Amino acid sequence: MVRIAFYLPYDHLEIASGVSRAVESYLRAVGQGPRTINHCYINDDEGAALSEERWNSIHFLLRPERPYRFIEELNERSARDLEKMGYAAQLILTGAFPSTNGYELWYRARIPTRTPPPDYVSYLTATLPTEYLEEHGATRVRELAMEMASQLRFATGHAGFALHLYSPLASIDEDSDEDFRSELLCYPGIDLRPAWLRTHWMGSQVDGIHWLNFLGQPVLGQLGGASALRSRLQSPRTLVHELDAERVAVSLGEEPEAGDLSAAQVLPAYREFARVLEPWLEPLRLVKADGSGRPPRQSHLLFTVDEAKCWWRRFLD
């Protein structure tokens, strides 16, 4: 599928209006109905089909107003309930419930606190099935990603091919799973990062290299701005587009590519960009041993440590 993601180092109050417009952009592009988006989850409810009543609840959720500004203003019980939930607001729009069809939008606002942890962010992600790309073309997907980006106060973001797992692989002992993991490592342009599930702790770090890459502050400033970044990228497939003085979009080709290491398709534009961004790339955080005596497995894909390191540095080594 194609995944669009934005990391927003702000509280809901500061980004709600932009998020609401980005949600509208996504829904205009994909539509609503049995073949696209038809179900939603609001905060921690059990979910329900979209209806006029549910849309009223969504609009209420996405309003910027709140009866409090920071969690410290709440009474002890309310603060504890909010901390248990783990977010200030959450919206998940999906399709083809109870199965999946590749369409999904997920917004999660961080808990507002007077002293937020430095890496704690809100985020917005949206997915499209590859059939959407085939039917509408890469230009339409690019336009959607750019339109959503224009509404959001992101630190970083991206769009490109991704694998989206709804549950972990079943077993580390099945030959089919082992073959599947080996096959995935041959396609560096397919993002496997969602399987690591630490999205809300991204901070200003860059979530890997993708077809479209969105850079805001502080990373763009630390790179010296758009002109300095452009001067360091020599690939003819790479374009740097200034969204405004504080944000850019870096495109690594006219359409997303999976690559294929077995056919020497190593995606040189992606590799060049990775070398430039290496100081800002998110580090690999490995799972430690669980006391079972077995080597720990990484992510929902159950990678070995070596496999995880190989994928994480696929554009750098």
mmCIF file of all heavy atoms in Angstrom, residues 181 185 192 196 283-287 296-299 301-314 317:
data_model
loop_
_atom_site.group_PDB
_atom_site.id
_atom_site.type_symbol
_atom_site.label_atom_id
_atom_site.label_comp_id
_atom_site.label_asym_id
_atom_site.label_seq_id
_atom_site.Cartn_x
_atom_site.Cartn_y
_atom_site.Cartn_z
ATOM 1 N N ARG A 181 10.020 -12.849 5.380
ATOM 2 C CA ARG A 181 10.963 -11.852 5.878
ATOM 3 C C ARG A 181 12.146 -11.690 4.925
ATOM 4 O O ARG A 181 12.594 -10.574 4.643
ATOM 5 C CB ARG A 181 11.453 -12.240 7.272
ATOM 6 C CG ARG A 181 10.431 -12.027 8.369
ATOM 7 C CD ARG A 181 11.065 -12.152 9.742
ATOM 8 N NE ARG A 181 11.537 -13.510 9.991
ATOM 9 C CZ ARG A 181 10.761 -14.478 10.481
ATOM 10 N NH1 ARG A 181 9.509 -14.238 10.772
ATOM 11 N NH2 ARG A 181 11.255 -15.680 10.690
ATOM 12 N N LEU A 185 13.316 -8.110 2.649
ATOM 13 C CA LEU A 185 14.611 -7.448 2.687
ATOM 14 C C LEU A 185 15.173 -7.157 1.301
ATOM 15 O O LEU A 185 16.135 -6.401 1.170
ATOM 16 C CB LEU A 185 15.606 -8.300 3.483
ATOM 17 C CG LEU A 185 15.307 -8.436 4.982
ATOM 18 C CD1 LEU A 185 16.284 -9.399 5.636
ATOM 19 C CD2 LEU A 185 15.342 -7.085 5.665
ATOM 20 N N LEU A 192 9.005 -0.660 6.157
ATOM 21 C CA LEU A 192 8.590 -1.629 7.172
ATOM 22 C C LEU A 192 8.511 -0.988 8.556
ATOM 23 O O LEU A 192 8.165 -1.660 9.522
ATOM 24 C CB LEU A 192 9.576 -2.805 7.217
ATOM 25 C CG LEU A 192 9.868 -3.496 5.885
ATOM 26 C CD1 LEU A 192 10.823 -4.668 6.111
ATOM 27 C CD2 LEU A 192 8.582 -3.968 5.219
ATOM 28 N N TRP A 196 7.302 -1.406 13.767
ATOM 29 C CA TRP A 196 8.014 -1.172 15.035
ATOM 30 C C TRP A 196 7.144 -0.448 16.068
ATOM 31 O O TRP A 196 7.447 -0.479 17.256
ATOM 32 C CB TRP A 196 9.300 -0.382 14.781
ATOM 33 C CG TRP A 196 10.497 -1.257 14.635
ATOM 34 C CD1 TRP A 196 11.386 -1.584 15.615
ATOM 35 C CD2 TRP A 196 10.963 -1.937 13.469
ATOM 36 N NE1 TRP A 196 12.367 -2.415 15.116
ATOM 37 C CE2 TRP A 196 12.129 -2.647 13.799
ATOM 38 C CE3 TRP A 196 10.486 -2.015 12.151
ATOM 39 C CZ2 TRP A 196 12.833 -3.414 12.885
ATOM 40 C CZ3 TRP A 196 11.184 -2.773 11.244
ATOM 41 C CH2 TRP A 196 12.344 -3.469 11.601
ATOM 42 N N PRO A 283 17.214 6.289 15.188
ATOM 43 C CA PRO A 283 18.045 5.111 15.463
ATOM 44 C C PRO A 283 17.189 3.868 15.669
ATOM 45 O O PRO A 283 16.012 3.951 16.034
ATOM 46 C CB PRO A 283 18.774 5.500 16.754
ATOM 47 C CG PRO A 283 17.828 6.435 17.440
ATOM 48 C CD PRO A 283 17.159 7.210 16.338
ATOM 49 N N LEU A 284 17.773 2.730 15.423
ATOM 50 C CA LEU A 284 17.101 1.457 15.671
ATOM 51 C C LEU A 284 17.143 1.155 17.166
ATOM 52 O O LEU A 284 18.214 1.106 17.770
ATOM 53 C CB LEU A 284 17.781 0.336 14.889
ATOM 54 C CG LEU A 284 17.294 -1.090 15.183
ATOM 55 C CD1 LEU A 284 15.814 -1.238 14.867
ATOM 56 C CD2 LEU A 284 18.128 -2.097 14.414
ATOM 57 N N ARG A 285 15.994 0.955 17.753
ATOM 58 C CA ARG A 285 15.910 0.584 19.163
ATOM 59 C C ARG A 285 15.558 -0.894 19.239
ATOM 60 O O ARG A 285 14.456 -1.296 18.885
ATOM 61 C CB ARG A 285 14.871 1.437 19.879
ATOM 62 C CG ARG A 285 15.234 2.923 19.903
ATOM 63 C CD ARG A 285 14.118 3.762 20.486
ATOM 64 N NE ARG A 285 14.491 5.163 20.604
ATOM 65 C CZ ARG A 285 14.357 6.065 19.643
ATOM 66 N NH1 ARG A 285 13.858 5.690 18.475
ATOM 67 N NH2 ARG A 285 14.708 7.319 19.825
ATOM 68 N N LEU A 286 16.485 -1.681 19.711
ATOM 69 C CA LEU A 286 16.324 -3.135 19.708
ATOM 70 C C LEU A 286 15.613 -3.615 20.963
ATOM 71 O O LEU A 286 15.805 -3.071 22.056
ATOM 72 C CB LEU A 286 17.688 -3.809 19.596
ATOM 73 C CG LEU A 286 18.439 -3.569 18.280
ATOM 74 C CD1 LEU A 286 19.848 -4.115 18.373
ATOM 75 C CD2 LEU A 286 17.692 -4.217 17.119
ATOM 76 N N VAL A 287 14.797 -4.637 20.788
ATOM 77 C CA VAL A 287 14.140 -5.293 21.913
ATOM 78 C C VAL A 287 15.152 -6.153 22.651
ATOM 79 O O VAL A 287 15.939 -6.875 22.025
ATOM 80 C CB VAL A 287 12.968 -6.165 21.416
ATOM 81 C CG1 VAL A 287 12.355 -6.945 22.577
ATOM 82 C CG2 VAL A 287 11.921 -5.299 20.724
ATOM 83 N N PRO A 296 16.060 -12.438 21.104
ATOM 84 C CA PRO A 296 14.879 -11.577 20.938
ATOM 85 C C PRO A 296 14.569 -11.326 19.473
ATOM 86 O O PRO A 296 15.477 -11.259 18.639
ATOM 87 C CB PRO A 296 15.294 -10.289 21.646
ATOM 88 C CG PRO A 296 16.783 -10.288 21.577
ATOM 89 C CD PRO A 296 17.203 -11.723 21.677
ATOM 90 N N ARG A 297 13.290 -11.210 19.174
ATOM 91 C CA ARG A 297 12.833 -10.905 17.820
ATOM 92 C C ARG A 297 12.337 -9.463 17.773
ATOM 93 O O ARG A 297 11.741 -8.970 18.733
ATOM 94 C CB ARG A 297 11.737 -11.879 17.398
ATOM 95 C CG ARG A 297 12.234 -13.302 17.176
ATOM 96 C CD ARG A 297 13.008 -13.390 15.868
ATOM 97 N NE ARG A 297 13.532 -14.732 15.639
ATOM 98 C CZ ARG A 297 13.738 -15.238 14.421
ATOM 99 N NH1 ARG A 297 13.470 -14.525 13.351
ATOM 100 N NH2 ARG A 297 14.233 -16.450 14.282
ATOM 101 N N GLN A 298 12.568 -8.816 16.631
ATOM 102 C CA GLN A 298 12.326 -7.386 16.512
ATOM 103 C C GLN A 298 11.092 -7.092 15.663
ATOM 104 O O GLN A 298 10.976 -7.594 14.554
ATOM 105 C CB GLN A 298 13.550 -6.705 15.890
ATOM 106 C CG GLN A 298 14.870 -7.105 16.515
ATOM 107 C CD GLN A 298 14.960 -6.733 17.984
ATOM 108 O OE1 GLN A 298 14.542 -5.644 18.374
ATOM 109 N NE2 GLN A 298 15.522 -7.623 18.796
ATOM 110 N N SER A 299 10.200 -6.301 16.208
ATOM 111 C CA SER A 299 9.016 -5.793 15.524
ATOM 112 C C SER A 299 7.990 -6.900 15.305
ATOM 113 O O SER A 299 8.210 -8.077 15.610
ATOM 114 C CB SER A 299 9.375 -5.140 14.180
ATOM 115 O OG SER A 299 9.479 -6.100 13.143
ATOM 116 N N LEU A 301 7.333 -8.134 12.612
ATOM 117 C CA LEU A 301 7.852 -9.016 11.567
ATOM 118 C C LEU A 301 8.739 -10.116 12.133
ATOM 119 O O LEU A 301 9.148 -11.011 11.396
ATOM 120 C CB LEU A 301 8.638 -8.197 10.542
ATOM 121 C CG LEU A 301 7.796 -7.248 9.694
ATOM 122 C CD1 LEU A 301 8.676 -6.239 8.988
ATOM 123 C CD2 LEU A 301 6.969 -8.029 8.689
ATOM 124 N N LEU A 302 9.066 -10.022 13.415
ATOM 125 C CA LEU A 302 9.886 -11.023 14.096
ATOM 126 C C LEU A 302 11.259 -11.163 13.458
ATOM 127 O O LEU A 302 11.800 -12.262 13.308
ATOM 128 C CB LEU A 302 9.161 -12.382 14.125
ATOM 129 C CG LEU A 302 7.763 -12.394 14.752
ATOM 130 C CD1 LEU A 302 7.177 -13.788 14.729
ATOM 131 C CD2 LEU A 302 7.794 -11.841 16.161
ATOM 132 N N PHE A 303 11.839 -10.033 13.097
ATOM 133 C CA PHE A 303 13.189 -10.033 12.560
ATOM 134 C C PHE A 303 14.197 -10.451 13.622
ATOM 135 O O PHE A 303 14.035 -10.169 14.806
ATOM 136 C CB PHE A 303 13.582 -8.630 12.091
ATOM 137 C CG PHE A 303 13.108 -8.267 10.719
ATOM 138 C CD1 PHE A 303 12.822 -6.945 10.405
ATOM 139 C CD2 PHE A 303 12.968 -9.215 9.726
ATOM 140 C CE1 PHE A 303 12.402 -6.591 9.138
ATOM 141 C CE2 PHE A 303 12.546 -8.878 8.456
ATOM 142 C CZ PHE A 303 12.262 -7.557 8.158
ATOM 143 N N THR A 304 15.268 -11.107 13.191
ATOM 144 C CA THR A 304 16.424 -11.273 14.061
ATOM 145 C C THR A 304 17.106 -9.914 14.199
ATOM 146 O O THR A 304 16.825 -8.968 13.452
ATOM 147 C CB THR A 304 17.417 -12.284 13.483
ATOM 148 O OG1 THR A 304 17.957 -11.739 12.264
ATOM 149 C CG2 THR A 304 16.745 -13.627 13.204
ATOM 150 N N VAL A 305 18.038 -9.796 15.136
ATOM 151 C CA VAL A 305 18.771 -8.547 15.299
ATOM 152 C C VAL A 305 19.503 -8.186 14.008
ATOM 153 O O VAL A 305 19.487 -7.033 13.561
ATOM 154 C CB VAL A 305 19.751 -8.637 16.482
ATOM 155 C CG1 VAL A 305 20.709 -7.447 16.496
ATOM 156 C CG2 VAL A 305 18.991 -8.719 17.796
ATOM 157 N N ASP A 306 20.149 -9.160 13.384
ATOM 158 C CA ASP A 306 20.892 -8.891 12.154
ATOM 159 C C ASP A 306 19.960 -8.449 11.026
ATOM 160 O O ASP A 306 20.297 -7.554 10.237
ATOM 161 C CB ASP A 306 21.685 -10.125 11.730
ATOM 162 C CG ASP A 306 22.894 -10.374 12.619
ATOM 163 O OD1 ASP A 306 23.295 -9.435 13.350
ATOM 164 O OD2 ASP A 306 23.423 -11.499 12.593
ATOM 165 N N GLU A 307 18.796 -9.094 10.922
ATOM 166 C CA GLU A 307 17.833 -8.701 9.892
ATOM 167 C C GLU A 307 17.331 -7.282 10.123
ATOM 168 O O GLU A 307 17.199 -6.492 9.177
ATOM 169 C CB GLU A 307 16.654 -9.676 9.881
ATOM 170 C CG GLU A 307 16.983 -11.047 9.321
ATOM 171 C CD GLU A 307 15.865 -12.045 9.537
ATOM 172 O OE1 GLU A 307 15.030 -11.828 10.458
ATOM 173 O OE2 GLU A 307 15.822 -13.047 8.810
ATOM 174 N N ALA A 308 17.040 -6.958 11.375
ATOM 175 C CA ALA A 308 16.568 -5.619 11.708
ATOM 176 C C ALA A 308 17.617 -4.567 11.354
ATOM 177 O O ALA A 308 17.309 -3.535 10.750
ATOM 178 C CB ALA A 308 16.204 -5.535 13.185
ATOM 179 N N LYS A 309 18.863 -4.827 11.725
ATOM 180 C CA LYS A 309 19.938 -3.880 11.412
ATOM 181 C C LYS A 309 20.123 -3.746 9.905
ATOM 182 O O LYS A 309 20.357 -2.646 9.387
ATOM 183 C CB LYS A 309 21.236 -4.336 12.064
ATOM 184 C CG LYS A 309 21.260 -4.205 13.580
ATOM 185 C CD LYS A 309 22.586 -4.698 14.141
ATOM 186 C CE LYS A 309 22.653 -4.525 15.648
ATOM 187 N NZ LYS A 309 23.943 -5.042 16.205
ATOM 188 N N CYS A 310 20.027 -4.852 9.201
ATOM 189 C CA CYS A 310 20.194 -4.846 7.745
ATOM 190 C C CYS A 310 19.129 -3.959 7.091
ATOM 191 O O CYS A 310 19.440 -3.138 6.218
ATOM 192 C CB CYS A 310 20.112 -6.271 7.215
ATOM 193 S SG CYS A 310 20.237 -6.410 5.415
ATOM 194 N N TRP A 311 17.875 -4.112 7.520
ATOM 195 C CA TRP A 311 16.819 -3.296 6.913
ATOM 196 C C TRP A 311 16.958 -1.833 7.327
ATOM 197 O O TRP A 311 16.829 -0.927 6.501
ATOM 198 C CB TRP A 311 15.435 -3.810 7.288
ATOM 199 C CG TRP A 311 14.393 -3.004 6.573
ATOM 200 C CD1 TRP A 311 14.008 -3.142 5.273
ATOM 201 C CD2 TRP A 311 13.684 -1.871 7.096
ATOM 202 N NE1 TRP A 311 13.086 -2.163 4.949
ATOM 203 C CE2 TRP A 311 12.863 -1.388 6.044
ATOM 204 C CE3 TRP A 311 13.653 -1.241 8.328
ATOM 205 C CZ2 TRP A 311 12.030 -0.287 6.202
ATOM 206 C CZ3 TRP A 311 12.819 -0.145 8.490
ATOM 207 C CH2 TRP A 311 12.012 0.327 7.437
ATOM 208 N N TRP A 312 17.241 -1.587 8.592
ATOM 209 C CA TRP A 312 17.291 -0.224 9.100
ATOM 210 C C TRP A 312 18.362 0.612 8.386
ATOM 211 O O TRP A 312 18.176 1.800 8.160
ATOM 212 C CB TRP A 312 17.571 -0.242 10.598
ATOM 213 C CG TRP A 312 16.938 0.911 11.343
ATOM 214 C CD1 TRP A 312 17.539 2.103 11.649
ATOM 215 C CD2 TRP A 312 15.614 0.983 11.853
ATOM 216 N NE1 TRP A 312 16.663 2.913 12.335
ATOM 217 C CE2 TRP A 312 15.466 2.246 12.477
ATOM 218 C CE3 TRP A 312 14.535 0.108 11.860
ATOM 219 C CZ2 TRP A 312 14.288 2.650 13.101
ATOM 220 C CZ3 TRP A 312 13.361 0.508 12.479
ATOM 221 C CH2 TRP A 312 13.247 1.754 13.075
ATOM 222 N N ARG A 313 19.465 -0.026 8.003
ATOM 223 C CA ARG A 313 20.566 0.688 7.351
ATOM 224 C C ARG A 313 20.668 0.327 5.863
ATOM 225 O O ARG A 313 21.744 0.421 5.253
ATOM 226 C CB ARG A 313 21.891 0.352 8.071
ATOM 227 C CG ARG A 313 21.940 0.903 9.495
ATOM 228 C CD ARG A 313 23.332 0.720 10.083
ATOM 229 N NE ARG A 313 24.369 1.347 9.264
ATOM 230 C CZ ARG A 313 24.672 2.642 9.309
ATOM 231 N NH1 ARG A 313 24.037 3.448 10.140
ATOM 232 N NH2 ARG A 313 25.641 3.127 8.538
ATOM 233 N N ARG A 314 19.574 -0.050 5.275
ATOM 234 C CA ARG A 314 19.596 -0.556 3.896
ATOM 235 C C ARG A 314 20.083 0.474 2.883
ATOM 236 O O ARG A 314 20.587 0.102 1.820
ATOM 237 C CB ARG A 314 18.183 -1.049 3.512
ATOM 238 C CG ARG A 314 17.144 0.065 3.446
ATOM 239 C CD ARG A 314 15.733 -0.505 3.565
ATOM 240 N NE ARG A 314 14.721 0.546 3.460
ATOM 241 C CZ ARG A 314 14.398 1.370 4.448
ATOM 242 N NH1 ARG A 314 15.038 1.289 5.612
ATOM 243 N NH2 ARG A 314 13.464 2.272 4.296
ATOM 244 N N ASP A 317 24.565 1.222 4.146
ATOM 245 C CA ASP A 317 25.674 0.256 4.107
ATOM 246 C C ASP A 317 25.933 -0.253 2.690
ATOM 247 O O ASP A 317 25.094 -0.110 1.805
ATOM 248 C CB ASP A 317 25.366 -0.924 5.017
ATOM 249 C CG ASP A 317 25.304 -0.504 6.484
ATOM 250 O OD1 ASP A 317 25.929 0.513 6.830
ATOM 251 O OD2 ASP A 317 24.601 -1.191 7.250
#
